[in-house]
């Protein structure tokens, strides 16, 4: 398979990065010469981890993927895409609710940056239900999250809860 030479951005809050996120990152890394995991500051969200902690977790989880980098950003995603000189976004779709949300975002991105294209990937079946929000809730209530997270991230979550 020929990889696309345009870098791709996979944006998200990654609070924390899950095995579902990692699955999409690995699959994106097979499709594109380079993938930038764009960790959003998201000041409107009450995150469990700081921006730097989330970037560090993504870097640790993806360290064996030579064409993947992790970068924190704040502000508009379209501005970050322009800074990275790319017009490709990777987005994951788990449910029809995700589709409706992403459809609205994609429409707004097109208004702000018409050349920006979104590539939607569906999760591997075992991760179809998985979200950072669910993992945080399970962890906060004392549940075992080992099967949903990289071991490095498991330790960070356990230390925080």
């Amino acid at each position: 398979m020929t990889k696309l030479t345009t870098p791709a951005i996979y944006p998200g809050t990654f609070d924390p990065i899950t095995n579902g996120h990692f699955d999409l990152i690995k699959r994106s890394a097979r499709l594109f010469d380079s993938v930038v995991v764009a960790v959003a500051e998201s000041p409107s969200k009450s995150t469990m981890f700081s921006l730097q902690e989330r970037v560090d977790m993504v870097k640790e989880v993806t360290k064996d993927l030579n064409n993947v980098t992790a970068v924190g950003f704040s502000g508009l995603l379209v501005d970050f895409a322009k800074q990275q000189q790319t017009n490709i976004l990777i987005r994951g779709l788990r449910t029809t609710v995700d589709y409706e949300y992403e459809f609205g975002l994609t429409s707004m991105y097109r208004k702000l940056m018409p050349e920006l294209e979104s590539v939607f990937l569906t999760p591997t079946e075992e991760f179809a239900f998985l979200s950072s929000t669910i993992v945080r809730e399970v962890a906060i209530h004392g549940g075992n999250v080992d099967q949903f997270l990289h071991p490095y991230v498991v330790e960070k979550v356990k230390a925080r809860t």
Side-chain angles (χ1 to χ4, degrees), residues 14-70:
F14 305 103
D15 186 43
I17 183 172
T18 68
N19 290 341
H21 292 129
F22 183 60
D23 175 60
L24 289 181
I25 293 167
K26 284 190 305 188
R27 291 167 48 212
S28 298
R30 290 193 308 255
L31 296 171
F32 296 91
D33 276 348
S34 65
V35 176
V36 176
V37 180
V39 183
E41 184 175 34
S42 298
S44 62
K45 291 184 179 181
S46 180
T47 58
M48 179 179 275
F49 297 98
S50 71
L51 177 60
Q52 190 57 56
E53 288 171 319
R54 290 180 281 129
V55 170
D56 291 345
M57 283 188 278
V58 172
K59 285 181 178 180
E60 179 62 27
V61 170
T62 62
K63 68 182 179 187
D64 294 330
L65 300 174
N66 296 332
N67 62 335
V68 174
T69 57

Side-chain angles (χ1 to χ4, degrees), residues 76-92:
L76 291 175
L77 180 57
V78 293
D79 293 336
F80 182 76
K82 290 173 186 174
Q83 289 171 356
Q84 297 296 309
Q85 299 179 338
T86 188
N87 66 334
I88 302 287
L89 293 181
I90 302 294
R91 300 298 293 161

Side-chain angles (χ1 to χ4, degrees), residues 66-147:
N66 296 332
N67 62 335
V68 174
T69 57
V71 178
F73 79 99
S74 61
L76 291 175
L77 180 57
V78 293
D79 293 336
F80 182 76
K82 290 173 186 174
Q83 289 171 356
Q84 297 296 309
Q85 299 179 338
T86 188
N87 66 334
I88 302 287
L89 293 181
I90 302 294
R91 300 298 293 161
L93 293 178
R94 294 171 302 205
T95 65
T96 56
V97 173
D98 284 350
Y99 174 80
E100 289 177 12
Y101 177 74
E102 292 297 336
F103 187 83
L105 281 179
T106 299
S107 297
M108 178 57 75
Y109 295 152
R110 282 195 184 125
K111 294 288 185 189
L112 299 173
M113 186 179 169
E115 65 274 19
L116 191 62
E117 294 292 342
S118 295
V119 175
F120 297 104
L121 298 177
T122 57
T124 303
E125 187 175 325
E126 68 182 297
F127 304 124
F129 68 93
L130 192 56
S131 74
S132 295
T133 302
I134 292 172
V135 169
R136 283 194 315 271
E137 283 297 312
V138 170
I140 288 167
H141 295 291
N144 185 333
V145 295
D146 293 10
Q147 64 185 320

